[in-house]
Amino acid sequence: MALSKVKKIAEGKTKIVYEHPVNPHLVLIKSKDDITAGDGAKKDCFDGKAVFSTETICNCFKLLNLRGLPTHYLGQIEPKIFLARKAKMIPLELVVRRIATGSYLKRSPEIAEGTVFNSLVFEVFLKNDETHDPLVVYDFTNEISLLYDPKKPLSNGFFQKRSLEEGGILMTPYLLNDLRDLAVKTFEILEGAWAKQNVSLVDLKIECGFDEETGKLMIADVIDNDSWRIWPAGDKTQMKDKQVYRDLLPTMTPEARELLKKNYQWVAKATEK
């Protein structure tokens, strides 16, 4: 498909969103070969990432659709492109955790790495690179949201108060409950699918938005190997996800690039199952 002939709506670190050439309520989403970390401070690329990411995205959304969850996904168009419903995005990252690791340990230093949560942990982060995607806690009684440094103990307190409006969308207890419900259900479905391959889904990030035509809340954006941590056999040393890139030295070596390519290809093939 000649995307040069259609209007670009938005471009992120790892994808580009285009208008649909015919239907104004649809979009075309194209993956890029880029991989980033540290709010974009670290950036590289490797051949095949866009194809592997798109395969993973499509496989995940197909499963969610089959299980009856509302998503924007409509189908794959080309190896790097899929078709989706156009959404008014909520500028929040919804994170669900089964195992304690990563930045969660910095916010909760009293928790040991590897702790398995019997009840899933749900967290909300504001999408804002300038403030490093702070943790958001909603105080609906006082009609404010509180922002916390995601890499410091919560006991340090919040660093900013904000209104309950996020990107022109008013956050309410009902909307937050709906977002939590979608995030948890998404995690449980993918967790079960990975478990059948003896892979532990450690944590997961999704984003949601409202269908611009119907107003329906739905899971949107992408779910790929940058969206989660996965540990084959529950072993962190076997991880296949983006954390491998985060842990690499600042300079990308040919060996590291090949390792990332193999990991992302492995995940794309595994999600076919």
Side-chain angles (χ1 to χ4, degrees), residues 7 27 31 46 135 143 153 170 178-179 182 218 257 266:
K7 181 181 177 181
V27 293
S31 298
F46 61 89
L135 176 74
E143 299 184 344
L170 180 64
D178 287 343
L179 293 173
L182 283 178
M218 57 188 181
R257 185 171 278 106
W266 183 93

Side-chain angles (χ1 to χ4, degrees), residues 94-111:
L94 311 174
V95 176
V96 181
R97 304 179 187 277
R98 175 66 76 188
I99 301 174
T101 193
S103 66
Y104 182 85
L105 302 176
K106 296 178 180 180
R107 294 189 299 280
S108 304
E110 72 281 4
I111 303 295

Side-chain angles (χ1 to χ4, degrees), residues 27 44 71 93 140 154 156 162 210 254:
V27 293
D44 290 284
T71 81
E93 296 182 346
F140 292 112
L154 290 179
N156 285 17
R162 289 166 50 91
F210 294 98

Side-chain angles (χ1 to χ4, degrees), residues 71-87:
T71 81
H72 72 154
Y73 177 78
L74 294 173
Q76 186 167 3
I77 302 297
E78 291 184 3
K80 299 179 182 180
I81 303 169
F82 70 94
L83 179 68
R85 300 287 301 174
K86 190 175 184 181

Side-chain angles (χ1 to χ4, degrees), residues 92-161:
L92 298 173
E93 296 182 346
L94 311 174
V95 176
V96 181
R97 304 179 187 277
R98 175 66 76 188
I99 301 174
T101 193
S103 66
Y104 182 85
L105 302 176
K106 296 178 180 180
R107 294 189 299 280
S108 304
E110 72 281 4
I111 303 295
E113 182 169 26
T115 297
V116 178
F117 303 116
N118 292 326
S119 297
L120 291 169
V121 172
F122 173 73
E123 296 178 305
V124 178
F125 298 85
L126 179 66
K127 283 179 64 68
N128 188 312
D129 286 347
E130 292 181 0
T131 52
H132 306 292
D133 299 338
L135 176 74
V136 185
V137 175
Y138 292 101
D139 179 352
F140 292 112
T141 300
N142 294 305
E143 299 184 344
I144 56 172
S145 62
L146 306 174
L147 303 187
Y148 291 77
D149 188 321
K151 296 183 179 180
K152 293 182 179 179
L154 290 179
S155 58
N156 285 17
F158 63 89
F159 69 85
Q160 185 179 342
K161 293 181 182 179

Side-chain angles (χ1 to χ4, degrees), residues 26 58 65 88 133 136 237 244:
L26 305 181
C58 295
N65 285 348
K88 179 176 176 58
D133 299 338
V136 185
T237 65
V244 174

